[in-house]
Amino acid sequence: MNVVRAIQQYVDKMITDAGPGMKMLLMDRETISVVSMAFAQSEMLMKEVFLFERIDVERSRERLKYLKCIVFIRPTRDNIMLLQRELRSPKFGSYYINFSNIIPRTDIKELAESDESESVREVREIYADYLPVNPNLFSLHIPSCLQALSWKPDALERATQGLVSVLLSFKFRPAIRFRAGSTAAQTLAKKVHETINKETALFSFRPPEDGAAPPLLLILDRRDDPVTPLLNQWTYQAMVHELLTINKQRVDLSGVNGVPKDLKEVVLSTEQDEFYAKNLYANFGEIASTIKVLMDEFQRKANDQRKIESIADMKNFVETYPQFRKMSGTVTKHLVLISELSVQVGRQQLFEVSELEQEIACRADHSTQLQRVKRLVADDKTSPWNALRLVLLYAMRYERHANCDTSGLLKLLADRSGKAHIVPRMLEYISTVARQELFNTVKITDAVKLTRNLIKELKGVENVYVQHECVLKGTLEEVIKGRPLDAQYPIMGNEVPYRRPPSEVIVFIVGGATYEESLAVHRYNQEGHKIVLGGTTIHNSESFVEEVLSATVGVPFKHSRSLQQFHQPPAGTA
């Protein structure tokens, strides 16, 4: 189970089936992201794809009859109308049309009527309607899916289509389970189940052999674990996303001092960057050591290249030059990233902030933790954002504690920023399940055992092992061991529940997944399991808070009446 490979196979097939010759790709805003996250442009050029255009932007109408046009678009109503216009006045010699998901027969008929020149050679569905982030992680890039804690209609339709596409790409007709008590998870499960029953021909896959359990689609709710997206992360990919933000595999470094012009934006792809693929789950200290090893290797090779004394030396240099240049770019890119992460860790005092976050998340010690939160929130060296996250974690953990002082912390926070209103909104966001179970399911250690191994070769870089475990880890443990799931995760439809553990699992989180959860899935897969994680989006703490604010618009203020004065943002703030 590899979502990147699944997308690559579909794209390879639609290009190969167009035959030899010069080709162009006509895409939309979303499918262009799907392709760019699976392939580098140089790889597409090797497949004889020399031109890329978007159907949903204004473009030249110059006739290019010598080019084959491979259309790859989502089957939306707007795209159908744009494609009809294209076919009425064809710009290219022939068209090979690929829809990223199921398309109604009525739309096919409309396209056929528009193709008066008979330039369309092929029309088909390929199920590549999701973004492949990592081999075990996909996103639907829906930044905000709920309003008043219920699905936005457009978001629900998109999530249904995306999940159906994932199932079809893996040829799964799964058992569907959803988080009990989550209306959002149940609604999505029902929509996917209805689509599977409606499209019986598409889902008529061979059943599992020897009475094995069918694949499992497990739909969860972000509201059941609001802690994980708020914690500082210490693995490479997660740190980059938290401190610099990864947007469809791209990181904007234009605001970083001293960055070369060609590194104002960098691409982080497991398919295009071997170093990144090997180290995206490495912790901060490990990645610092590894980048130093890479630099040492590069410097050794650079010195070797200078010793060109013969024709044979020159020939060897020419043959290795592309790999040499690629290695040079890799070293520079990751050195810039790790350097900026190190700067941010020091500037934001993240070791101290993260240690307190872990304490709050993993063990109850109200009096001590309250005093530490107060001190850090009042400290000007603590950024307003980190102060907010500490107050959010405290408020969720000690909401019902007899001596809870969230109100006092909010007064301190209000003096530092205009973000105090976010805390009561978060308390409205938390599900009933989270209130009952969240801080009881987190692994508790005897004491704070955050190991800090100073990397001697790189002064100032520390390696921190966090003790928090996301709720998903425990959930997957239940699934893998075949424990009864009916109470917490009811099955959708009339299927008879299988008591054997499924051999393949797709987990989807309504409200967004995180890279910490992706790491948990990765570790299970290393043990031989087959699990893929997806979400409406991939969160860092900032995007998660934005999700919470959007989801709680229109929610009656019920849970924290004493905080009502902080419920609305000050005038002029978001």
Side-chain angles (χ1 to χ4, degrees), residues 359 363-370 397-398:
E359 281 224 26
R363 70 189 188 104
D365 185 358
H366 177 264
S367 179
T368 301
Q369 291 171 9
L370 175 60
R397 170 113 215 180
Y398 295 111

Side-chain angles (χ1 to χ4, degrees), residues 15-47:
I15 294 173
T16 302
D17 288 358
M22 296 177 67
K23 295 176 277 286
M24 69 85 59
L25 260 176
L26 183 61
M27 297 170 283
D28 62 32
R29 180 173 58 87
E30 294 186 62
T31 56
I32 199 169
S33 296
V34 173
V35 173
S36 67
M37 290 176 70
F39 290 96
Q41 187 169 349
S42 58
E43 293 176 294
M44 300 304 288
L45 292 174
M46 292 175 65
K47 300 175 187 294

Side-chain angles (χ1 to χ4, degrees), residues 310-486:
S310 66
I311 298 295
D313 290 340
M314 284 189 279
K315 182 175 182 292
N316 182 58
F317 175 77
V318 170
E319 288 175 349
T320 60
Y321 186 66
Q323 291 80 8
F324 181 74
R325 281 195 63 189
K326 184 177 180 180
M327 186 179 183
S328 172
T330 298
V331 169
T332 306
K333 175 174 71 176
H334 290 288
L335 185 58
V336 167
L337 285 169
I338 196 71
S339 297
E340 181 58 21
L341 293 180
S342 185
V343 167
Q344 293 292 338
V345 167
R347 181 183 297 158
Q348 298 187 41
Q349 303 183 97
L350 290 185
F351 287 123
E352 184 175 6
V353 169
S354 180
E355 182 175 327
L356 181 51
E357 289 173 358
Q358 292 296 313
E359 281 224 26
I360 296 172
C362 297
R363 70 189 188 104
D365 185 358
H366 177 264
S367 179
T368 301
Q369 291 171 9
L370 175 60
Q371 296 309 310
R372 292 182 67 188
V373 172
K374 282 183 175 179
R375 180 176 61 80
L376 281 174
V377 170
D379 188 344
D380 289 339
K381 294 179 181 178
T382 306
S383 72
W385 186 257
N386 287 331
L388 169 67
R389 290 190 302 104
L390 287 170
V391 176
L392 285 168
L393 291 167
Y394 171 89
M396 288 190 289
R397 170 113 215 180
Y398 295 111
E399 179 187 7
R400 298 180 181 180
H401 193 280
N403 297 320
C404 177
D405 192 22
T406 299
S407 183
L409 290 174
L410 290 183
K411 290 174 183 176
L412 285 175
L413 192 62
D415 292 339
R416 300 266 341 260
S417 70
K419 301 184 184 299
H421 67 287
I422 294 171
V423 177
R425 297 277 286 275
M426 180 67 76
L427 294 177
E428 298 302 323
Y429 179 83
I430 301 174
S431 73
T432 304
V433 170
R435 281 185 158 78
Q436 293 171 347
E437 300 179 6
L438 182 61
F439 291 102
N440 294 324
T441 58
V442 177
K443 182 180 179 181
I444 299 176
T445 59
D446 295 332
V448 179
K449 296 179 180 177
L450 295 178
T451 305
R452 297 180 176 183
N453 295 328
L454 196 62
I455 306 301
K456 295 178 182 179
E457 295 87 349
L458 290 164
K459 187 177 180 181
V461 176
E462 294 180 324
N463 191 358
V464 178
Y465 296 92
V466 296
Q467 54 185 338
H468 172 261
E469 292 181 350
C470 58
V471 173
L472 177 62
K473 184 178 184 297
T475 302
L476 289 175
E477 188 78 12
E478 299 288 306
V479 171
I480 288 167
K481 291 186 176 179
R483 291 171 180 160
L485 300 173
D486 297 349

Side-chain angles (χ1 to χ4, degrees), residues 159-161 163-164 167 174 176 187-197 203 217 219 492:
T160 304
Q161 293 168 343
L163 267 182
V164 166
L167 295 175
I176 303 174
T187 301
L188 180 58
K190 183 179 179 183
K191 293 284 286 184
V192 173
H193 186 259
E194 288 173 349
T195 303
I196 291 173
N197 288 337
F203 283 91
L217 171 60
I219 301 178
M492 176 58 64

Side-chain angles (χ1 to χ4, degrees), residues 261-277:
K261 288 183 179 180
D262 60 338
L263 290 177
K264 294 294 184 183
E265 183 182 77
V266 298
V267 175
L268 292 178
S269 165
T270 56
E271 297 302 302
Q272 302 165 27
D273 185 334
E274 184 179 356
F275 179 85
Y276 181 63

